[in-house]
Amino acid sequence: MSKTIPAAFQATLHIRDHCLCLHAQRAARRLARRFDEAFRPLGITSGQFSLMNGLNRPTPPPISALATLLAMDRSTVTANLKPLERQGLATVSIDPEDRRSRRATLTDEGRALLARATPIWIAVHARSRSNWDGGGDALRAGLNAVGCP
């Protein structure tokens, strides 16, 4: 005796198997967990590592530039900077050129931690790249194309 699958559930199964957004989110979570685990001994997350790299510039970037780089809104970047500030890894100050804006920078301690984290990133990244043909270049290009008109 076979059961007929309701149409609404058929749609759910189709979405589960074909939805680019769902698959990208799942892959991003799995990849982030892999890096989070690797960075755990340093007391940072993969998101904090990315944010610290965004701060690693000769001139402190405005919060808006970090938001663009990380595809976040400014309030989320500001919230994500707070733990780094509490740990003494970053500082946020008023932009001397535009007092309505804020700029963020790594502290010396933040730069030192980033220097310790980078070899960990290199190793985990190399292992992760080995999962894709061409080292993930086509995947990265496709992901970067998302959001482009």
Side-chain angles (χ1 to χ4, degrees):
M1 185 185 329
S2 68
K3 290 186 178 183
T4 303
I5 298 174
F9 187 58
Q10 287 177 354
T12 295
L13 294 175
H14 180 80
I15 291 166
R16 178 199 67 193
D17 295 339
H18 296 92
C19 179
L20 295 174
C21 185
L22 172 63
H23 287 265
Q25 288 170 333
R26 286 172 43 184
R29 287 183 196 109
R30 288 178 182 143
L31 198 54
R33 278 194 296 270
R34 183 180 299 171
F35 281 93
D36 285 346
E37 182 63 32
F39 291 136
R40 184 169 288 121
L42 299 179
I44 61 172
T45 65
S46 59
Q48 289 170 325
F49 177 79
S50 296
L51 181 52
M52 291 172 70
N53 267 287
L55 296 174
N56 193 29
R57 304 178 187 193
T59 303
I63 301 297
S64 59
L66 291 170
T68 299
L69 172 71
L70 299 170
M72 295 178 171
D73 58 51
R74 287 187 311 243
S75 62
T76 302
V77 172
T78 298
N80 286 331
L81 281 166
K82 290 188 186 308
L84 296 179
E85 286 183 282
R86 284 192 298 271
Q87 293 174 346
L89 303 173
T91 60
V92 177
S93 58
I94 295 171
D95 185 340
E97 297 172 17
D98 180 357
R99 300 202 48 82
R100 298 168 299 167
S101 184
R102 302 283 181 267
R103 289 186 178 261
T105 189
L106 286 175
T107 63
D108 290 342
E109 187 178 342
R111 280 184 183 70
L113 181 61
L114 186 59
R116 290 195 320 271
T118 299
I120 294 169
W121 177 87
I122 290 169
V124 176
H125 187 258
R127 285 193 308 271
S128 298
R129 283 179 54 120
S130 69
N131 293 327
W132 292 288
D133 292 339
D137 293 338
L139 173 63
R140 186 175 33 262
L143 292 170
N144 284 333
V146 174
C148 295

